[in-house]
Amino acid sequence: MLQRIQTIYLILAFVVSGVLPFVFPLWKAMDGKDYFFMVDMTYVTLFGLSISASLLSILSYKKRQHQFVLGRLNMIFNLILLGLFVYRTLNLSGEATVSEKGIGMFLPIVSIVLLVLANKAIKKDEDLVKSVDRLR
């Protein structure tokens, strides 16, 4: 059912991964130029995988186990993306031209929190269905 709370969390994770990277820059150079996620193909790929995992998870609402696994996979994609951002941040601090970190680097953290909440709700639904099956 699409009206469950985990669907709301998954839609929010989809928006955080799919829409907000176009709005918020990852970092800003000393010359004032904003750098978005399209700078590196690795970022584009990982954001694309996160978007597709969120969308597949939303559409597979009848298969709770499949939805749970896709949520975990999506968390892994976001953790890798966050690791790349942390690596990039550590490299930016040693530049000759000082640059400013953007709010776009924190989007994977928000997405991970939303995915954890969604997986928690999916697990709760799965436990409820299993407890009803025991009574039959």
Side-chain angles (χ1 to χ4, degrees):
M1 294 188 290
L2 287 175
Q3 68 267 21
R4 297 183 303 183
I5 189 69
Q6 62 262 30
T7 306
I8 302 296
Y9 291 138
L10 290 169
I11 289 172
L12 287 174
F14 175 78
V15 168
V16 166
S17 295
V19 176
L20 293 182
F22 290 103
V23 178
F24 298 115
L26 297 177
W27 60 84
K28 183 182 285 192
M30 187 65 175
D31 60 358
K33 186 176 179 184
D34 289 336
Y35 287 96
F36 289 90
F37 76 100
M38 286 100 38
V39 172
D40 192 2
M41 193 61 181
T42 308
Y43 301 152
V44 173
T45 304
L46 286 171
F47 270 118
L49 288 171
S50 178
I51 293 166
S52 61
S54 292
L55 191 62
L56 281 173
S57 185
I58 291 169
L59 295 176
S60 66
Y61 59 90
K62 290 184 180 179
K63 304 173 189 169
R64 285 177 301 278
Q65 283 296 86
H66 186 66
Q67 199 174 26
F68 189 78
V69 169
L70 282 172
R72 289 270 172 103
L73 187 64
N74 199 351
M75 279 187 246
I76 291 171
F77 292 146
N78 281 302
L79 281 172
I80 293 170
L81 193 59
L82 185 63
L84 287 173
F85 288 159
V86 167
Y87 177 74
R88 176 70 181 167
T89 302
L90 293 175
N91 284 344
L92 281 179
S93 63
E95 288 181 340
T97 60
V98 180
S99 60
E100 181 180 324
K101 283 69 174 177
I103 195 166
M105 287 190 169
F106 298 107
L107 292 178
I109 295 172
V110 175
S111 183
I112 289 170
V113 169
L114 290 169
L115 290 167
V116 166
L117 291 172
N119 273 359
K120 189 174 179 182
I122 292 167
K123 179 76 170 142
K124 185 178 174 184
D125 278 356
E126 187 66 27
D127 291 342
L128 180 66
V129 169
K130 285 182 181 177
S131 70
V132 170
D133 283 344
R134 273 186 254 139
L135 294 174
R136 288 185 195 178

